[in-house]
């Protein structure tokens, strides 16, 4: 079983999720400024994507956790 590609994919998922969270947080934080390029629809979209990005990070962490458990189980056998 190749473990490195699993970890690599999970780490990429975490990185992408955090990048998305940062973008969403930026959009939400600047919603009350006088920047007219940020519309209410953009803020709503950012809030929805915030949840999706959080779920992506949680899922990727779960993949790492499960892979570690499987590897530990194999080594204990």
């Amino acid at each position: 079983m190749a473990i490195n590609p699993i970890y690599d994919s999970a780490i990429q998922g975490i990185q992408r999720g955090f990048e998305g969270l940062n973008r969403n947080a930026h959009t939400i934080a600047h919603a009350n400024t006088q920047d007219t390029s940020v519309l209410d629809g953009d803020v709503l979209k950012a809030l929805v994507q915030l949840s999706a990005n959080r779920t992506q990070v949680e899922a990727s962490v779960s993949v790492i956790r499960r892979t570690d458990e499987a590897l530990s189980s194999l080594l204990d056998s």
Side-chain angles (χ1 to χ4, degrees), residues 26-74:
H26 178 76
T27 300
I28 294 166
H30 288 88
N32 289 330
T33 64
Q34 294 186 7
D35 184 3
T36 58
S37 66
V38 179
L39 303 174
D40 289 337
D42 291 339
V43 174
L44 184 57
K45 181 178 177 182
L47 288 168
V48 171
Q49 289 177 343
L50 190 74
S51 178
N53 286 317
R54 187 184 112 215
T55 301
Q56 178 179 355
V57 171
E58 289 173 346
S60 296
V61 168
S62 180
V63 167
I64 291 174
R65 187 175 295 127
R66 301 278 187 228
T67 303
D68 188 49
E69 289 171 0
L71 185 59
S72 294
S73 175
L74 287 172

